[in-house]
Amino acid sequence: MLYALLCNDKPDHLQLRLDTRASHLDYLSSLSDRLKFAGPFLGDDAKPNGSLVVVEAPDLDAAKEIAADDPYAKAGLFASVDIRPWNWAIKNPDNK
């Protein structure tokens, strides 16, 4: 099952995001095939203010664990994280 992790940064925490970015990217890489895609949300100023991460996990608890282990989450960057089951219906490369 796929899960979308919708993460919203705390206001005025851009520097924390930048300081933690390398370990966040390393963590995402460590997820290997469980990571389907990821990237930042951008504010009106074109600066990152959140993240969208889509992962494959056996259940919601496993998806929550993936989200909690993210260095951004551990650093306290996020004001909120919404984890929702997601169906990749259109342009899914696994559905050839």
Side-chain angles (χ1 to χ4, degrees), residues 73-95:
K74 289 182 174 186
L77 176 63
F78 299 134
S80 65
V81 176
D82 186 25
I83 302 173
R84 300 174 62 183
W86 186 69
N87 181 22
W88 192 350
I90 308 300
K91 291 199 174 189
N92 181 338
D94 291 336
N95 296 336

Side-chain angles (χ1 to χ4, degrees), residues 16-36:
L16 178 60
R17 174 178 274 275
L18 297 174
D19 292 345
T20 315
R21 185 172 187 270
S23 57
H24 165 73
L25 294 177
D26 287 344
Y27 174 70
L28 292 181
S29 291
S30 78
L31 295 175
S32 190
D33 290 342
R34 293 181 293 165
L35 176 67
K36 296 307 176 182

Side-chain angles (χ1 to χ4, degrees), residues 1-86:
M1 161 112 353
L2 295 179
Y3 292 89
L5 315 179
L6 303 155
C7 310
N8 295 299
D9 292 3
K10 293 177 182 172
D12 303 315
H13 277 65
L14 179 59
Q15 191 58 53
L16 178 60
R17 174 178 274 275
L18 297 174
D19 292 345
T20 315
R21 185 172 187 270
S23 57
H24 165 73
L25 294 177
D26 287 344
Y27 174 70
L28 292 181
S29 291
S30 78
L31 295 175
S32 190
D33 290 342
R34 293 181 293 165
L35 176 67
K36 296 307 176 182
F37 59 85
F41 290 116
L42 304 175
D44 293 337
D45 58 2
K47 293 181 181 168
N49 64 6
S51 298
L52 169 62
V53 179
V54 176
V55 298
E56 186 171 13
D59 55 39
L60 181 58
D61 287 338
K64 287 180 180 179
E65 185 175 330
I66 290 170
D69 287 342
D70 187 320
Y72 279 167
K74 289 182 174 186
L77 176 63
F78 299 134
S80 65
V81 176
D82 186 25
I83 302 173
R84 300 174 62 183
W86 186 69

